[in-house]
Amino acid sequence: MNYSSYFTNRSTEAITQDLIGRMLTFNDGTQKLGGYIVEAEAYMGKEDRAAHSYGGRRSQANEGLYRAGGTIYIYAQRQYFFFDVATQEENEPQGVLIRAIEPTLGLDTMKKNRNGKDGVLLTNGPAKMMQAFGIHSRKWDLHPLANSPFAIDLDDKSKRIPKKIVASKRIGINQLDPEWSNKPLRYYVAGNPYVSNMKKRNYDKKSGWI
């Protein structure tokens, strides 16, 4: 798959929105675990106060954002890990955070990795998704997506089509900066139960898919 072209040929917002409905998988060495991306957030680089690269900050911890589009950027907060992919050309540190998937592959293994958590709790958040994949380190940080156990299906024929994609403000962004905290850079499938903080009353009967 031509990840480098996919992750560099348009705006980060457009890439993030296009990822919704695509299959994300992780090969744990014995099987593929994964599901359809239902929620993702765009981070817009040096001007984005919520981005790890805001103001041109650069270190070993966020180097993945500065690599060429299609490079994996895994970061940690306490014992939790998060999966991002760099977008744009090298040294233009933008990226997309995959926040949630609707799981379809390797459900038993993912449930075991989540210590028995099942249903929407399996993968309805970025740290939960990584736990479900059995990932507890930054081992794959800085690896090109094409040379890793991760894969995103770029075949449009296998992409699931949402009835509606909602654009809203990102989750957990510092409200002291209203401009960036309120920008609609989080995209998700309306009514999908695996989206972070989706209320039961808003669940769609078909989980938001056409």
Side-chain angles (χ1 to χ4, degrees):
M1 298 182 186
N2 191 355
Y3 291 122
S4 59
S5 175
Y6 178 86
F7 284 101
T8 57
N9 67 2
R10 58 209 144 144
S11 71
T12 297
E13 298 104 312
I15 293 168
T16 305
Q17 185 167 339
D18 186 75
L19 284 169
I20 302 299
R22 296 193 182 277
M23 175 73 76
L24 168 66
T25 58
F26 175 74
N27 190 326
D28 70 355
T30 60
Q31 63 179 319
K32 285 185 178 180
L33 314 175
Y36 292 98
I37 298 170
V38 297
E39 182 185 8
E41 290 178 339
Y43 287 86
M44 306 304 297
K46 298 175 183 178
E47 297 181 356
D48 184 349
R49 288 183 178 273
H52 292 167
S53 54
Y54 172 65
R57 289 192 298 255
R58 187 170 187 171
S59 68
Q60 188 280 329
N62 74 349
E63 178 64 23
L65 285 173
Y66 284 85
R67 300 294 177 92
T71 300
I72 295 170
Y73 168 48
I74 293 176
Y75 69 93
Q77 288 183 351
R78 299 182 300 280
Q79 73 270 35
Y80 301 114
F81 295 87
F82 301 80
F83 180 80
D84 301 64
V85 181
T87 58
Q88 309 311 318
E89 303 293 340
E90 188 173 3
N91 294 320
E92 180 54 55
Q94 300 184 31
V96 52
L97 166 67
I98 307 301
R99 284 198 57 91
I101 61 171
E102 179 179 314
T104 59
L105 298 175
L107 298 180
D108 289 342
T109 298
M110 287 197 286
K111 181 178 177 181
K112 185 183 299 182
N113 289 341
R114 287 278 291 133
N115 297 315
K117 295 288 197 306
D118 201 0
V120 297
L121 293 178
L122 191 60
T123 54
N124 68 338
K128 295 174 185 178
M129 183 187 80
M130 291 290 267
Q131 288 176 354
F133 287 164
I135 295 171
H136 303 285
S137 76
R138 299 178 64 224
K139 177 180 179 180
W140 298 107
D141 182 51
L142 302 178
H143 284 70
L145 192 56
N147 298 329
S148 80
F150 293 93
I152 296 174
D153 188 347
L154 300 183
D155 185 351
D156 288 340
K157 293 179 181 178
S158 57
K159 181 180 179 180
R160 294 199 74 175
I161 307 301
K163 295 176 185 176
K164 179 183 179 182
I165 295 177
V166 177
S168 71
K169 64 181 182 180
R170 293 170 292 187
I171 292 177
I173 304 304
N174 189 343
Q175 296 300 309
L176 294 176
D177 176 30
E179 178 187 359
W180 283 99
S181 63
N182 290 317
K183 280 185 181 293
L185 295 172
R186 170 183 170 237
Y187 300 93
Y188 64 88
V189 179
N192 189 282
Y194 288 91
V195 171
S196 303
N197 302 331
M198 181 64 67
K199 305 297 184 185
K200 283 188 176 181
R201 64 176 179 271
N202 295 326
Y203 286 6
D204 179 77
K205 291 181 179 179
K206 294 185 177 180
S207 297
W209 305 112
I210 290 176

